[in-house]
């Protein structure tokens, strides 16, 4: 992950840094919790692609990532409130 392109990603990294993580640790946590796909997820996406095409694949992946970002951000915020 060379560059954070989503503003929510930047906000998550910032919140994780406020919790005491260094930037590389925060990016690794983001990568692990948002971007890493389980084999079953990859299989579902590939199946979806064969039925609906590449454009649908890209939108499905973006939807999945957006949901994961929101869920992870909510968890980070709730953890942050517990430490303050």
């Amino acid at each position: 992950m060379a560059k954070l392109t989503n503003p929510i990603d930047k906000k998550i990294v910032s919140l994780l840094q406020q919790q005491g993580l260094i930037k590389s640790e925060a990016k690794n946590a983001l990568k692990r919790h948002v971007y890493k796909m389980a084999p079953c997820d990859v299989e579902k996406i590939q199946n979806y692609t064969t039925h609906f095409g590449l454009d649908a694949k890209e939108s499905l992946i973006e939807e999945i990532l957006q949901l994961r970002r929101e869920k992870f951000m909510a968890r980070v915020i709730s953890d942050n409130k517990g430490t303050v």
Side-chain angles (χ1 to χ4, degrees):
M1 187 168 73
K3 218 190 246 189
L4 297 176
T5 57
N6 193 298
I8 296 174
D9 290 349
K10 292 178 183 179
K11 180 69 175 168
I12 291 170
V13 168
S14 175
L15 289 170
L16 289 170
Q17 286 180 301
Q18 289 175 9
Q19 291 181 353
L21 296 178
I22 60 173
K23 193 171 193 174
S24 63
E25 291 172 334
K27 286 182 178 181
N28 285 335
L30 180 70
K31 203 189 276 189
R32 187 173 53 252
H33 293 287
V34 175
Y35 290 99
K36 185 172 176 160
M37 297 278 181
C40 63
D41 293 334
V42 174
E43 185 179 325
K44 288 176 188 174
I45 291 169
Q46 292 299 336
N47 187 30
Y48 192 83
T49 302
T50 59
H51 292 291
F52 300 106
L54 291 176
D55 291 335
K57 175 184 175 181
E58 293 299 321
S59 63
L60 177 65
I61 291 172
E62 190 54 42
E63 285 178 38
I64 291 170
L65 292 177
Q66 189 63 26
L67 290 171
R68 287 179 171 195
R69 282 183 192 108
E70 291 170 3
K71 183 179 176 184
F72 188 53
M73 186 163 168
R75 187 171 28 158
V76 169
I77 289 171
S78 69
D79 288 349
N80 200 18
K81 287 182 181 178
T83 58
V84 173

